Amino acid sequence: MVFIIGAVSVVLLIIVIWRSWALIENYTSGDPAGATQRVVVEQPSMNDTTARRFSDPGICLNILKGTTYSSDELLGTNKLSLLVSRAIPNQRLVRAFGIDNGFTTFDPEKRAEFLSEARERLTEVTGYGWKGIVSTAEDVTEKYVEKISRGKGERDLECMVQIISLKVIFENFLGFDALRLGDGSMLDVARGINKQWIASKSGDHSDKLSISQIQSVFQRLKIHTKDPQDTPLNILLPVYETLWRVVLHCLIEVLFRPSSDREWREILKAFLRKPDKQQFEQHGPGVDSVSVQFLVNEALRLYPPTRRIYRQMHMSTITEPELIAADIEACHRLPEIWGDDSHQYHPGRWNSVNRQMRKAFMPFGGPPYQCPASASFGPMMIGVLVAVIASELSPTVWRLSYGEERSVSRVLNDEMELGSGRSEKTSWFLLRESRDMGSHQSHSDD
């Protein structure tokens, strides 16, 4: 009897342990021989505090390659292939959004297929030139600013950027007429994505209300999302997440900082008149002038689309797998590389960029899984959206206030650092000089 009870206890213990582990099969290890790899790894918690972070550029690049996180050879090598190392932390996105794309798959063929389709889509979007994209962005932005000028619509600059970004993406990537898409629907999608993303990093993995908001919008637009491989979120998520936060912060730096240079706005206007790669890289007339590319690069440096990139690693000399993070944001702000003003927006630094800085600049990840939009499309699209929105928000007409509530009106100064996290509570509100400033003056004098 004692033997039977003991045996049952052992079986139950094995079941408990087995259920707490995820079995991940990857049939191509990535080595030259293509050897079969079968690895058992613990599903990591995506709470940021559980990951080991590294900001050294060389170590960050090795983490992105999925090889190691140390220069110490005694640590051994990662037993997991790069595909597995990247897919495991991203399973939270599968649970949260029901997607199956190149960022989440364990199948190398599926990843290659997704990458090929993404490149084809980018080629299609830009195939007719950038003027069409500029025209769409201008129409959407003009209509939105006209609306808020009449005292209607959401004046939260973050919401404005999200809505405009989504409308441009929906038209150019999903084939919708941007002007026929409702602001409320786009805001539901934006807020739903943000809440789901935050929930995916917690133990809940999903916010039911936010995912229902996204799904209801898609249902109204007759978009089917049930098949993980066909859901538009496979493309929408990476494109949208690459763009909107960088656009928001670049706008604030270029348009509303007291120290912002008028020349920056002039080169943005010139870029809208001739939206191509040559003009994107064209400098202004001054001796130490910058280009739209420099404005965007500096925004990507300070506010990278993905602040930290995760890999699950199981080093050959360590018993347990570990969640490792390449801290891109910290790497982009290292004073020993970027100077004493590394925490400040200073596009002129790109006039004297050196090899060390280029190595440390990785806003779109690094090889071999670098974002296909990194070479041209991503930076150009950010430049287009910043230029279009800036052209409609003249700093002589509009001012930016910040606070946790709409009633709080404080002016942005040069010393204030802009928060880049999703859970930042600060909101940025647009105030129209002639109509709004007087009503807010008494509060700002408190």
Side-chain angles (χ1 to χ4, degrees):
M1 178 66 71
V2 173
F3 175 77
I4 293 174
I5 293 174
V8 170
S9 300
V10 171
V11 171
L12 289 174
L13 179 61
I14 291 173
I15 291 173
V16 169
I17 294 173
W18 177 80
R19 286 175 62 85
S20 68
W21 290 67
L23 181 63
I24 306 298
E25 290 186 305
N26 179 37
Y27 294 99
T28 305
S29 64
D31 62 20
T36 298
Q37 181 187 33
R38 184 181 177 89
V39 187
V40 179
V41 291
E42 185 178 4
Q43 287 284 8
S45 164
M46 282 306 298
N47 186 323
D48 246 1
T49 59
T50 66
R52 297 182 62 185
R53 299 185 194 175
F54 298 87
S55 60
D56 176 82
I59 293 178
C60 282
L61 287 170
N62 284 333
I63 292 172
L64 297 179
K65 293 175 185 175
T67 55
T68 185
Y69 54 85
S70 173
S71 57
D72 186 357
E73 294 182 0
L74 295 177
L75 192 63
T77 58
N78 184 14
K79 291 195 229 178
L80 308 180
S81 71
L82 174 56
L83 192 67
V84 170
S85 289
R86 182 173 75 159
I88 292 173
N90 287 337
Q91 293 311 292
R92 64 187 178 88
L93 301 178
V94 176
R95 294 188 292 270
F97 295 101
I99 62 174
D100 181 8
N101 62 21
F103 298 93
T104 64
T105 185
F106 293 96
D107 186 334
E109 291 184 4
K110 282 186 179 180
R111 180 194 170 269
E113 182 180 349
F114 175 82
L115 190 60
S116 176
E117 290 178 358
R119 285 171 175 160
E120 286 179 12
R121 191 74 63 90
L122 293 176
T123 302
E124 286 176 12
V125 170
T126 58
Y128 297 102
W130 283 91
K131 287 187 177 179
I133 298 174
V134 169
S135 178
T136 299
E138 286 178 331
D139 290 344
V140 169
T141 305
E142 183 180 351
K143 184 178 179 181
Y144 192 95
V145 174
E146 180 184 348
K147 182 178 177 180
I148 64 173
S149 296
R150 298 196 311 267
K152 299 178 180 179
E154 181 59 70
R155 289 200 186 186
D156 186 324
L157 183 61
E158 179 176 302
C159 294
M160 176 182 178
V161 170
Q162 290 173 333
I163 290 169
I164 292 171
S165 298
L166 278 173
K167 286 189 175 185
V168 172
I169 294 168
F170 265 75
E171 174 157 316
N172 287 283
F173 284 86
L174 302 179
F176 287 86
D177 183 346
L179 292 176
R180 296 174 65 88
L181 296 169
D183 293 347
S185 293
M186 295 297 98
L187 195 54
D188 281 346
V189 173
R191 287 173 172 168
I193 289 174
N194 194 57
K195 288 178 181 177
Q196 275 295 90
W197 203 284
I198 292 172
S200 74
K201 290 190 174 185
S202 70
D204 297 332
H205 300 306
S206 180
D207 183 302
K208 292 182 180 178
L209 179 60
S210 61
I211 197 63
S212 67
Q213 284 181 324
I214 299 173
Q215 290 173 344
S216 64
V217 172
F218 283 175
Q219 287 171 2
R220 291 197 298 272
L221 296 174
K222 298 181 180 179
I223 299 175
H224 302 289
T225 59
K226 289 186 178 180
D227 187 345
Q229 292 188 41
D230 291 332
T231 173
L233 286 171
N234 281 330
I235 288 291
L236 180 63
L237 274 176
V239 176
Y240 172 68
E241 286 297 319
T242 295
L243 292 177
W244 79 267
R245 270 194 309 266
V246 185
V247 172
L248 172 67
H249 289 105
C250 191
L251 263 175
I252 294 173
E253 295 286 4
V254 169
L255 210 56
F256 296 109
R257 286 280 195 191
S259 60
S260 63
D261 195 324
R262 181 182 177 84
E263 182 195 275
W264 300 350
R265 297 189 286 277
E266 294 303 318
I267 63 172
L268 287 170
K269 290 178 183 178
F271 178 54
L272 285 185
R273 291 192 293 269
K274 188 175 178 286
D276 57 27
K277 193 171 186 294
Q278 181 182 5
Q279 189 63 42
F280 183 70
E281 298 172 354
Q282 180 67 45
H283 286 236
V287 176
D288 296 318
S289 63
V290 300
S291 62
V292 176
Q293 182 183 39
F294 283 9
L295 298 179
V296 172
N297 276 358
E298 187 67 350
L300 285 167
R301 183 188 69 82
L302 271 181
Y303 314 107
T306 304
R307 299 164 68 196
R308 284 173 281 280
I309 300 177
Y310 297 92
R311 297 285 185 262
Q312 179 86 334
M313 291 191 179
H314 192 173
M315 307 308 291
S316 55
T317 60
I318 297 179
T319 306
E320 301 292 337
E322 302 171 283
L323 182 62
I324 305 297
D327 196 331
I328 307 301
E329 183 180 60
C331 178
H332 283 185
R333 299 185 179 203
L334 291 172
E336 58 267 33
I337 293 177
W338 301 99
D340 294 336
D341 62 349
S342 61
H343 283 67
Q344 296 176 351
Y345 184 82
H346 178 45
R349 79 174 73 249
W350 293 90
N351 277 312
S352 55
V353 66
N354 57 40
R355 184 178 178 182
Q356 190 181 26
M357 291 176 178
R358 292 189 186 282
K359 180 181 178 181
F361 186 59
M362 51 190 88
F364 297 102
Y369 284 176
Q370 196 159 19
C371 174
S374 63
S376 177
F377 178 84
M380 283 277 288
M381 182 63 95
I382 292 167
V384 164
L385 291 174
V386 170
V388 168
I389 299 173
S391 71
E392 292 289 338
L393 295 179
S394 169
T396 60
V397 177
W398 297 94
R399 286 287 180 267
L400 194 66
S401 67
Y402 69 92
E404 295 183 10
E405 298 176 1
R406 186 180 293 274
S407 60
V408 178
S409 177
R410 290 173 286 180
V411 179
L412 178 67
N413 57 44
D414 286 330
E415 287 72 36
M416 179 180 176
E417 289 189 20
L418 308 183
S420 58
R422 289 178 183 275
S423 57
E424 296 289 340
K425 293 182 179 180
T426 298
S427 295
W428 303 96
F429 296 107
L430 291 167
L431 301 175
R432 192 174 174 87
E433 282 277 19
S434 58
R435 191 175 300 171
D436 301 324
M437 294 304 286
S439 63
H440 284 264
Q441 187 64 47
S442 61
H443 185 91
S444 61
D445 287 341
D446 289 348

